[in-house]
Coordinates of all heavy atoms in Angstrom, one line a residue:
M1 N 0.8 -1.2 0.0 CA 0.0 0.0 0.0 C 0.9 1.2 0.0 O 1.9 1.3 0.7 CB -0.9 0.0 1.2 CG -2.0 0.9 1.2 SD -3.2 0.4 0.0 CE -4.5 1.5 0.4
H2 N 0.5 2.2 -0.7 CA 1.3 3.5 -0.8 C 0.5 4.6 -0.2 O -0.7 4.5 0.0 CB 1.6 3.8 -2.3 CG 0.5 3.7 -3.2 ND1 -0.5 4.7 -3.2 CD2 0.0 2.8 -4.1 CE1 -1.4 4.5 -4.1 NE2 -1.1 3.3 -4.6
P3 N 1.3 5.7 0.1 CA 0.6 6.9 0.7 C -0.3 7.5 -0.4 O -0.2 7.2 -1.6 CB 1.7 7.8 1.1 CG 2.9 7.4 0.3 CD 2.7 5.9 0.0
P4 N -1.1 8.5 0.0 CA -1.9 9.2 -1.0 C -1.1 9.8 -2.1 O 0.0 10.3 -1.8 CB -2.6 10.3 -0.2 CG -2.6 9.7 1.2 CD -1.4 9.0 1.3
L5 N -1.5 9.6 -3.3 CA -0.7 10.1 -4.5 C -0.9 11.5 -4.8 O -1.4 11.9 -5.9 CB -1.0 9.2 -5.7 CG -0.7 7.7 -5.5 CD1 -1.1 6.9 -6.8 CD2 0.8 7.5 -5.2
T6 N -0.5 12.4 -3.9 CA -0.7 13.9 -4.2 C 0.7 14.4 -4.6 O 1.7 14.1 -3.9 CB -1.1 14.6 -2.9 OG1 -0.3 14.2 -1.8 CG2 -2.6 14.3 -2.5
L7 N 0.7 15.1 -5.7 CA 1.9 15.5 -6.3 C 2.7 16.5 -5.5 O 3.9 16.5 -5.4 CB 1.7 16.1 -7.7 CG 1.1 15.1 -8.7 CD1 0.8 15.9 -10.1 CD2 2.0 14.0 -9.0
H8 N 2.0 17.4 -4.8 CA 2.7 18.5 -4.0 C 3.3 17.9 -2.8 O 4.2 18.5 -2.3 CB 1.7 19.6 -3.6 CG 0.6 19.2 -2.7 ND1 -0.5 18.5 -3.0 CD2 0.6 19.3 -1.3 CE1 -1.3 18.3 -2.0 NE2 -0.6 18.8 -0.9
K9 N 2.9 16.7 -2.3 CA 3.5 16.1 -1.2 C 4.7 15.2 -1.5 O 5.5 14.9 -0.7 CB 2.5 15.3 -0.4 CG 1.5 16.1 0.4 CD 0.7 15.2 1.3 CE -0.2 16.1 2.1 NZ -1.0 15.3 3.1
H10 N 4.8 14.8 -2.8 CA 5.9 14.0 -3.2 C 6.5 14.5 -4.5 O 6.4 13.9 -5.6 CB 5.3 12.6 -3.5 CG 4.6 11.9 -2.4 ND1 5.3 11.5 -1.2 CD2 3.3 11.8 -2.1 CE1 4.4 11.0 -0.4 NE2 3.2 11.2 -0.9
P11 N 7.2 15.6 -4.4 CA 7.8 16.3 -5.6 C 8.8 15.4 -6.3 O 9.0 15.4 -7.5 CB 8.4 17.6 -5.1 CG 8.5 17.4 -3.6 CD 7.5 16.4 -3.2
M12 N 9.6 14.6 -5.5 CA 10.6 13.7 -6.1 C 9.9 12.7 -7.0 O 10.5 12.2 -8.0 CB 11.3 13.0 -5.0 CG 12.5 13.7 -4.4 SD 13.4 12.7 -3.1 CE 13.8 11.2 -4.0
C13 N 8.8 12.2 -6.7 CA 8.1 11.1 -7.4 C 7.0 11.6 -8.3 O 6.2 10.7 -8.8 CB 7.6 10.1 -6.4 SG 8.8 9.5 -5.2
A14 N 6.9 12.8 -8.5 CA 5.8 13.4 -9.3 C 5.6 12.8 -10.7 O 4.5 12.4 -11.1 CB 5.9 14.9 -9.4
E15 N 6.7 12.6 -11.4 CA 6.6 12.0 -12.7 C 6.1 10.6 -12.7 O 5.3 10.2 -13.5 CB 8.0 12.1 -13.4 CG 8.1 11.6 -14.8 CD 9.4 11.7 -15.4 OE1 10.2 12.6 -15.0 OE2 9.7 10.9 -16.3
I16 N 6.6 9.8 -11.8 CA 6.2 8.4 -11.7 C 4.8 8.3 -11.2 O 4.0 7.5 -11.7 CB 7.1 7.6 -10.7 CG1 8.6 7.7 -11.2 CG2 6.7 6.2 -10.6 CD1 9.6 7.1 -10.2
I17 N 4.3 9.2 -10.3 CA 2.9 9.2 -9.9 C 2.0 9.5 -11.1 O 1.0 8.8 -11.3 CB 2.7 10.3 -8.8 CG1 3.4 9.9 -7.5 CG2 1.2 10.5 -8.6 CD1 3.4 10.9 -6.4
E18 N 2.4 10.5 -11.9 CA 1.6 10.8 -13.1 C 1.5 9.6 -14.0 O 0.4 9.3 -14.6 CB 2.1 12.0 -13.8 CG 1.9 13.3 -13.0 CD 2.6 14.5 -13.6 OE1 3.4 14.3 -14.5 OE2 2.2 15.6 -13.2
Q19 N 2.6 8.9 -14.3 CA 2.6 7.8 -15.1 C 1.8 6.6 -14.6 O 1.0 6.0 -15.3 CB 4.1 7.3 -15.3 CG 5.0 8.2 -16.1 CD 6.4 7.7 -16.1 OE1 6.8 6.7 -15.5 NE2 7.3 8.4 -16.8
F20 N 1.9 6.4 -13.3 CA 1.1 5.4 -12.6 C -0.4 5.7 -12.7 O -1.2 4.8 -13.0 CB 1.6 5.3 -11.1 CG 0.9 4.1 -10.4 CD1 1.2 2.8 -10.7 CD2 0.0 4.4 -9.4 CE1 0.6 1.8 -9.9 CE2 -0.6 3.4 -8.6 CZ -0.3 2.1 -8.9
Q21 N -0.8 6.9 -12.4 CA -2.2 7.2 -12.5 C -2.7 7.1 -14.0 O -3.8 6.7 -14.2 CB -2.4 8.7 -12.0 CG -2.3 8.7 -10.5 CD -2.3 10.1 -9.9 OE1 -2.1 11.1 -10.6 NE2 -2.7 10.3 -8.7
K22 N -1.9 7.5 -14.9 CA -2.3 7.4 -16.3 C -2.5 6.0 -16.7 O -3.4 5.6 -17.4 CB -1.2 8.0 -17.2 CG -1.5 8.1 -18.7 CD -0.4 8.7 -19.5 CE -0.7 8.6 -20.9 NZ 0.5 9.1 -21.7
C23 N -1.6 5.1 -16.3 CA -1.7 3.7 -16.5 C -3.0 3.1 -16.0 O -3.7 2.3 -16.6 CB -0.5 2.9 -15.9 SG -0.5 1.2 -16.3
H24 N -3.3 3.5 -14.8 CA -4.6 3.0 -14.2 C -5.8 3.5 -14.9 O -6.8 2.8 -15.0 CB -4.7 3.5 -12.7 CG -4.0 2.5 -11.8 ND1 -4.6 2.0 -10.6 CD2 -2.8 1.8 -11.8 CE1 -3.8 1.2 -10.0 NE2 -2.7 1.0 -10.7
M25 N -5.7 4.8 -15.4 CA -6.8 5.3 -16.2 C -7.0 4.6 -17.6 O -8.1 4.3 -18.0 CB -6.6 6.8 -16.5 CG -6.7 7.6 -15.2 SD -8.3 7.8 -14.5 CE -9.0 9.0 -15.6
E26 N -5.9 4.3 -18.2 CA -5.9 3.7 -19.5 C -6.2 2.2 -19.5 O -6.6 1.6 -20.5 CB -4.5 3.9 -20.2 CG -4.3 5.4 -20.6 CD -2.9 5.6 -21.2 OE1 -2.1 4.7 -21.2 OE2 -2.7 6.8 -21.6
H27 N -5.9 1.6 -18.4 CA -6.1 0.1 -18.2 C -6.9 -0.2 -17.0 O -6.4 -0.8 -16.0 CB -4.7 -0.6 -18.2 CG -3.8 -0.2 -19.2 ND1 -3.9 -0.6 -20.5 CD2 -2.6 0.6 -19.2 CE1 -2.9 -0.1 -21.3 NE2 -2.2 0.6 -20.5
P28 N -8.2 0.1 -17.0 CA -9.0 -0.1 -15.8 C -9.2 -1.6 -15.4 O -9.3 -1.8 -14.2 CB -10.3 0.5 -16.1 CG -10.4 0.6 -17.6 CD -9.0 0.7 -18.1
I29 N -9.1 -2.5 -16.3 CA -9.3 -3.9 -16.0 C -7.9 -4.6 -15.9 O -7.6 -5.3 -15.0 CB -10.1 -4.6 -17.0 CG1 -11.5 -4.0 -17.1 CG2 -10.2 -6.1 -16.7 CD1 -12.4 -4.1 -15.9
A30 N -7.0 -4.2 -16.9 CA -5.7 -4.9 -17.0 C -4.8 -4.5 -15.8 O -3.9 -5.3 -15.5 CB -5.0 -4.5 -18.3
K31 N -5.1 -3.4 -15.1 CA -4.3 -3.1 -13.9 C -4.4 -4.1 -12.9 O -3.4 -4.3 -12.1 CB -4.7 -1.7 -13.4 CG -6.1 -1.7 -12.7 CD -6.4 -0.3 -12.2 CE -7.8 -0.3 -11.6 NZ -8.2 1.0 -11.2
F32 N -5.5 -4.9 -12.8 CA -5.6 -6.0 -11.8 C -4.8 -7.2 -12.2 O -4.6 -8.1 -11.4 CB -7.1 -6.3 -11.7 CG -7.9 -5.2 -11.1 CD1 -8.9 -4.6 -11.9 CD2 -7.8 -4.8 -9.8 CE1 -9.7 -3.6 -11.4 CE2 -8.5 -3.8 -9.3 CZ -9.5 -3.2 -10.1
F33 N -4.4 -7.3 -13.5 CA -3.6 -8.4 -13.9 C -2.1 -8.1 -14.2 O -1.4 -8.7 -14.9 CB -4.2 -9.0 -15.2 CG -5.7 -9.4 -15.0 CD1 -6.7 -8.7 -15.4 CD2 -5.9 -10.6 -14.3 CE1 -8.0 -9.1 -15.1 CE2 -7.2 -11.0 -14.0 CZ -8.3 -10.3 -14.5
G34 N -1.7 -7.0 -13.5 CA -0.3 -6.7 -13.6 C 0.2 -5.7 -14.6 O 1.4 -5.6 -14.9
D35 N -0.7 -5.0 -15.3 CA -0.3 -4.1 -16.3 C 0.5 -3.0 -15.9 O 1.4 -2.4 -16.6 CB -1.5 -3.6 -17.1 CG -1.4 -3.8 -18.6 OD1 -0.7 -4.7 -19.0 OD2 -2.0 -3.0 -19.3
C36 N 0.3 -2.5 -14.7 CA 1.0 -1.3 -14.1 C 2.0 -1.7 -13.0 O 2.4 -0.8 -12.3 CB -0.1 -0.3 -13.6 SG -1.3 0.1 -14.8
T37 N 2.3 -2.9 -12.9 CA 3.1 -3.4 -11.8 C 4.5 -2.8 -11.8 O 5.1 -2.4 -10.8 CB 3.2 -4.9 -11.8 OG1 1.9 -5.5 -11.7 CG2 4.1 -5.5 -10.7
D38 N 5.1 -2.7 -13.0 CA 6.5 -2.1 -13.1 C 6.5 -0.6 -12.6 O 7.4 -0.2 -11.9 CB 6.9 -2.1 -14.6 CG 7.2 -3.5 -15.1 OD1 7.4 -4.4 -14.3 OD2 7.3 -3.6 -16.3
L39 N 5.4 0.1 -12.9 CA 5.4 1.5 -12.4 C 5.2 1.5 -10.9 O 5.7 2.4 -10.2 CB 4.2 2.2 -13.1 CG 4.5 2.6 -14.5 CD1 3.2 3.2 -15.2 CD2 5.6 3.6 -14.6
K40 N 4.4 0.6 -10.4 CA 4.1 0.5 -8.9 C 5.5 0.2 -8.2 O 5.7 0.8 -7.1 CB 3.1 -0.7 -8.7 CG 2.9 -1.0 -7.2 CD 2.2 0.1 -6.5 CE 1.8 -0.4 -5.1 NZ 2.4 0.3 -4.0
I41 N 6.3 -0.7 -8.8 CA 7.6 -1.0 -8.2 C 8.5 0.3 -8.2 O 9.1 0.6 -7.2 CB 8.3 -2.2 -8.9 CG1 7.5 -3.5 -8.6 CG2 9.7 -2.3 -8.5 CD1 7.9 -4.6 -9.5
K42 N 8.5 1.0 -9.3 CA 9.3 2.2 -9.3 C 8.8 3.3 -8.3 O 9.5 3.9 -7.7 CB 9.2 2.9 -10.7 CG 10.0 2.2 -11.8 CD 9.8 2.9 -13.1 CE 10.5 2.2 -14.3 NZ 10.3 2.9 -15.5
L43 N 7.5 3.3 -8.2 CA 6.8 4.3 -7.3 C 7.2 3.9 -5.8 O 7.6 4.8 -5.0 CB 5.3 4.2 -7.4 CG 4.5 5.3 -6.7 CD1 4.9 6.7 -7.2 CD2 3.0 5.1 -7.0
D44 N 7.2 2.6 -5.5 CA 7.5 2.2 -4.1 C 9.0 2.5 -3.8 O 9.3 3.0 -2.7 CB 7.3 0.7 -4.0 CG 5.8 0.4 -3.9 OD1 5.0 1.3 -3.6 OD2 5.5 -0.8 -4.1
R45 N 9.9 2.3 -4.8 CA 11.3 2.6 -4.6 C 11.5 4.1 -4.4 O 12.3 4.5 -3.6 CB 12.1 2.2 -5.8 CG 12.3 0.7 -5.9 CD 13.2 0.3 -7.0 NE 13.3 -1.2 -7.1 CZ 13.3 -1.9 -8.2 NH1 13.4 -1.2 -9.4 NH2 13.4 -3.2 -8.2
C46 N 10.8 4.9 -5.2 CA 10.9 6.4 -5.1 C 10.4 6.8 -3.7 O 11.0 7.7 -3.1 CB 10.1 7.0 -6.2 SG 10.3 8.8 -6.2
F47 N 9.3 6.3 -3.2 CA 8.8 6.6 -1.9 C 9.8 6.2 -0.8 O 10.0 7.0 0.1 CB 7.5 5.9 -1.6 CG 6.3 6.6 -2.3 CD1 5.2 5.8 -2.7 CD2 6.2 7.9 -2.6 CE1 4.1 6.3 -3.3 CE2 5.2 8.5 -3.2 CZ 4.1 7.7 -3.6
R48 N 10.5 5.1 -1.0 CA 11.5 4.7 0.0 C 12.6 5.7 0.0 O 13.1 6.0 1.1 CB 12.0 3.3 -0.3 CG 11.2 2.2 0.4 CD 11.8 0.9 0.3 NE 10.8 0.0 -0.4 CZ 11.0 -0.7 -1.5 NH1 12.1 -0.6 -2.2 NH2 10.0 -1.4 -2.0
E49 N 13.1 6.1 -1.2 CA 14.2 7.0 -1.3 C 13.8 8.4 -0.6 O 14.6 9.0 0.1 CB 14.5 7.3 -2.7 CG 15.6 6.5 -3.3 CD 15.9 6.9 -4.8 OE1 16.1 8.1 -5.0 OE2 15.9 6.0 -5.6
E50 N 12.6 8.8 -1.0 CA 12.1 10.1 -0.4 C 12.0 10.0 1.1 O 12.4 10.9 1.8 CB 10.7 10.3 -1.0 CG 10.1 11.7 -0.7 CD 8.8 11.9 -1.3 OE1 7.9 11.1 -1.0 OE2 8.7 12.7 -2.2
K51 N 11.6 8.9 1.6 CA 11.5 8.7 3.1 C 12.8 8.7 3.7 O 13.0 9.3 4.8 CB 10.7 7.4 3.4 CG 10.4 7.3 4.9 CD 9.6 6.1 5.2 CE 9.2 5.9 6.6 NZ 8.3 4.8 6.9
A52 N 13.8 8.1 3.1 CA 15.2 8.0 3.6 C 15.8 9.5 3.7 O 16.4 9.8 4.7 CB 16.0 7.1 2.8
L53 N 15.5 10.2 2.7 CA 16.0 11.6 2.7 C 15.4 12.5 3.7 O 16.1 13.2 4.4 CB 15.8 12.3 1.3 CG 16.7 11.7 0.1 CD1 16.3 12.4 -1.2 CD2 18.1 12.1 0.4
K54 N 14.1 12.3 3.9 CA 13.4 13.0 5.0 C 13.9 12.6 6.3 O 14.0 13.4 7.2 CB 11.9 12.8 4.9 CG 11.2 13.5 3.7 CD 9.7 13.3 3.7 CE 9.0 14.0 2.6 NZ 7.6 13.7 2.6
R55 N 14.1 11.3 6.5 CA 14.5 10.8 7.8 C 15.9 11.4 8.1 O 16.2 11.8 9.3 CB 14.6 9.3 7.7 CG 14.9 8.6 9.1 CD 15.0 7.1 9.0 NE 13.9 6.5 8.3 CZ 14.0 5.7 7.2 NH1 15.1 5.4 6.7 NH2 12.9 5.2 6.7
K56 N 16.8 11.4 7.1 CA 18.1 12.0 7.4 C 18.1 13.4 7.7 O 18.8 13.9 8.6 CB 19.0 11.7 6.1 CG 20.4 12.2 6.3 CD 21.2 11.9 5.0 CE 22.7 12.3 5.3 NZ 23.5 12.1 4.1
A57 N 17.2 14.2 7.0 CA 17.1 15.6 7.3 C 16.5 15.8 8.7 O 17.0 16.7 9.4 CB 16.2 16.3 6.2
N58 N 15.5 15.1 9.0 CA 15.0 15.2 10.4 C 16.0 14.8 11.5 O 16.0 15.5 12.5 CB 13.7 14.3 10.5 CG 12.5 14.8 9.8 OD1 12.5 16.0 9.4 ND2 11.6 13.9 9.5
F59 N 16.8 13.8 11.2 CA 17.8 13.4 12.2 C 18.8 14.6 12.4 O 19.2 14.9 13.5 CB 18.5 12.2 11.7 CG 19.6 11.7 12.7 CD1 19.2 11.2 13.9 CD2 20.9 11.8 12.3 CE1 20.2 10.8 14.8 CE2 21.9 11.3 13.2 CZ 21.6 10.9 14.4
E60 N 19.3 15.2 11.3 CA 20.2 16.3 11.4 C 19.6 17.5 12.1 O 20.3 18.1 12.9 CB 20.7 16.7 10.0 CG 21.5 15.7 9.2 CD 22.8 15.3 10.0 OE1 23.4 16.3 10.5 OE2 23.1 14.2 9.9
E61 N 18.3 17.8 11.8 CA 17.6 18.9 12.5 C 17.5 18.6 14.0 O 17.7 19.5 14.8 CB 16.3 19.0 11.9 CG 15.5 20.3 12.3 CD 14.2 20.4 11.6 OE1 14.1 20.2 10.4 OE2 13.3 20.8 12.3
S62 N 17.3 17.3 14.4 CA 17.1 17.0 15.8 C 18.5 17.1 16.5 O 18.5 17.5 17.7 CB 16.5 15.6 16.0 OG 17.4 14.6 15.8
K63 N 19.6 16.7 15.8 CA 20.9 16.9 16.4 C 21.2 18.4 16.7 O 21.7 18.7 17.8 CB 22.0 16.3 15.5 CG 22.1 14.8 15.6 CD 23.2 14.2 14.8 CE 24.1 14.9 14.0 NZ 25.1 14.1 13.2
K64 N 20.8 19.3 15.8 CA 21.1 20.7 16.0 C 20.2 21.2 17.2 O 20.7 21.9 18.0 CB 20.7 21.5 14.7 CG 21.7 21.3 13.6 CD 21.2 22.0 12.4 CE 22.1 21.7 11.2 NZ 21.6 22.3 10.0
F65 N 19.0 20.7 17.2 CA 18.1 21.1 18.3 C 18.6 20.7 19.6 O 18.6 21.4 20.6 CB 16.7 20.6 18.0 CG 15.7 21.0 19.1 CD1 15.2 22.3 19.2 CD2 15.3 20.0 20.1 CE1 14.3 22.6 20.2 CE2 14.4 20.4 21.1 CZ 13.9 21.7 21.2
K66 N 19.1 19.4 19.7 CA 19.6 18.9 21.0 C 20.8 19.7 21.4 O 21.0 19.9 22.6 CB 19.9 17.4 20.8 CG 18.7 16.5 20.8 CD 19.1 15.1 20.6 CE 17.8 14.2 20.5 NZ 18.2 12.8 20.2
E67 N 21.6 20.0 20.5 CA 22.8 20.8 20.8 C 22.5 22.2 21.4 O 23.0 22.6 22.4 CB 23.7 21.0 19.6 CG 25.1 21.5 19.9 CD 25.9 20.7 20.9 OE1 25.9 19.5 20.8 OE2 26.5 21.3 21.8
K68 N 21.5 22.8 20.8 CA 21.0 24.1 21.3 C 20.4 24.0 22.7 O 20.6 24.8 23.5 CB 20.0 24.7 20.3 CG 20.5 25.3 19.0 CD 19.4 25.8 18.2 CE 19.9 26.3 16.9 NZ 18.8 26.9 16.0
L69 N 19.7 22.9 22.9 CA 19.0 22.6 24.1 C 20.1 22.4 25.2 O 20.0 23.0 26.3 CB 18.1 21.4 24.1 CG 17.2 21.1 25.3 CD1 16.3 22.3 25.6 CD2 16.4 19.9 25.0
R70 N 21.1 21.7 24.9 CA 22.2 21.4 25.9 C 22.9 22.8 26.2 O 23.2 23.0 27.4 CB 23.3 20.5 25.3 CG 22.9 19.0 25.5 CD 24.1 18.2 25.1 NE 23.6 16.9 24.6 CZ 23.6 16.5 23.3 NH1 24.2 17.2 22.4 NH2 23.1 15.3 23.0
A71 N 23.2 23.6 25.2 CA 23.8 24.9 25.5 C 22.9 25.7 26.3 O 23.4 26.4 27.3 CB 24.1 25.6 24.2
F72 N 21.6 25.8 26.1 CA 20.7 26.5 26.9 C 20.6 26.1 28.3 O 20.7 26.9 29.2 CB 19.3 26.4 26.2 CG 18.2 27.2 26.9 CD1 18.1 28.6 26.9 CD2 17.3 26.5 27.7 CE1 17.2 29.3 27.6 CE2 16.3 27.2 28.4 CZ 16.2 28.6 28.3
R73 N 20.6 24.8 28.5 CA 20.5 24.2 29.9 C 21.8 24.5 30.6 O 21.8 24.9 31.8 CB 20.3 22.7 29.8 CG 18.9 22.3 29.5 CD 18.7 20.9 29.4 NE 17.3 20.5 29.1 CZ 16.9 19.3 28.8 NH1 17.8 18.3 28.7 NH2 15.6 19.1 28.6
K74 N 22.9 24.4 29.9 CA 24.2 24.7 30.6 C 24.3 26.2 31.0 O 24.7 26.5 32.1 CB 25.4 24.4 29.6 CG 26.7 24.5 30.2 CD 27.8 24.1 29.2 CE 29.2 24.3 29.8 NZ 30.2 23.9 28.8
E75 N 23.8 27.0 30.1 CA 23.8 28.5 30.4 C 22.9 28.8 31.6 O 23.3 29.6 32.4 CB 23.3 29.2 29.1 CG 23.4 30.7 29.2 CD 22.8 31.4 28.0 OE1 23.4 31.1 26.9 OE2 21.8 32.1 28.1
N76 N 21.7 28.1 31.6 CA 20.8 28.4 32.7 C 21.4 27.8 34.0 O 21.2 28.4 35.1 CB 19.5 27.7 32.5 CG 18.6 28.6 31.6 OD1 18.9 29.8 31.4 ND2 17.5 28.1 31.1
A77 N 22.1 26.7 34.0 CA 22.7 26.1 35.2 C 23.8 27.0 35.7 O 23.9 27.2 36.9 CB 23.2 24.7 34.9
E78 N 24.5 27.5 34.8 CA 25.6 28.5 35.3 C 25.1 29.8 35.8 O 25.6 30.3 36.8 CB 26.6 28.8 34.1 CG 27.4 27.6 33.6 CD 28.2 27.9 32.4 OE1 28.1 29.0 31.8 OE2 29.0 27.0 32.0
S79 N 24.0 30.3 35.2 CA 23.5 31.6 35.7 C 22.7 31.3 37.0 O 22.7 32.3 37.9 CB 22.6 32.2 34.7 OG 21.4 31.4 34.5
S80 N 22.2 30.2 37.3 CA 21.5 30.0 38.5 C 22.4 29.7 39.7 O 22.1 29.8 40.8 CB 20.5 28.8 38.4 OG 21.1 27.6 38.1
D81 N 23.7 29.2 39.3 CA 24.7 29.0 40.4 C 25.3 30.3 40.9 O 25.7 30.3 42.0 CB 25.9 28.1 39.8 CG 25.4 26.7 39.6 OD1 24.4 26.3 40.1 OD2 26.1 26.0 38.8
H82 N 25.2 31.4 40.1 CA 25.8 32.6 40.6 C 24.9 33.4 41.4 O 24.2 33.6 42.0 CB 26.2 33.5 39.4 CG 27.3 32.9 38.6 ND1 28.6 33.2 38.8 CD2 27.3 32.0 37.6 CE1 29.3 32.5 37.9 NE2 28.6 31.8 37.2

């Protein structure tokens, strides 16, 4: 199962999404017998890549946030000691 196929949410996969949707429109019965399977596989791979990039970006952002939080806590601890 894939996430909703909205182009604005998946800019990396927009071209494949359009091809996949077009295939489903052109082959309403044959899609059940594997006519669009190659595109589905490409789409799944693209979603995995997209998710990996988002995960990496979120991890980097969280590292920066944690570092700022540590600095803030250290600063507050030092100021409350004085």
Side-chain angles (χ1 to χ4, degrees):
M1 193 72 172
H2 52 74
L5 300 178
T6 50
L7 298 177
H8 69 278
K9 287 189 176 186
H10 304 286
M12 275 182 57
C13 306
E15 185 179 328
I16 300 170
I17 290 172
E18 288 173 347
Q19 292 171 359
F20 183 69
Q21 289 175 333
K22 183 179 175 187
C23 182
H24 273 226
M25 294 290 282
E26 291 175 354
H27 309 287
I29 304 291
K31 69 182 178 185
F32 295 112
F33 299 103
D35 229 28
C36 304
T37 302
D38 292 341
L39 288 171
K40 172 72 168 118
I41 291 168
K42 284 182 186 178
L43 191 60
D44 288 342
R45 286 184 186 144
C46 186
F47 284 149
R48 270 189 239 121
E49 265 183 53
E50 188 178 61
K51 187 174 181 177
L53 288 174
K54 285 181 182 180
R55 188 181 310 123
K56 184 177 181 179
N58 287 341
F59 180 70
E60 294 299 321
E61 191 176 319
S62 79
K63 281 185 2 184
K64 289 177 187 175
F65 178 76
K66 285 178 185 178
E67 190 57 41
K68 285 181 184 178
L69 187 61
R70 276 192 209 107
F72 179 75
R73 286 179 177 167
K74 184 177 180 181
E75 184 180 301
N76 278 350
E78 289 174 357
S79 65
S80 65
D81 288 344
H82 292 267

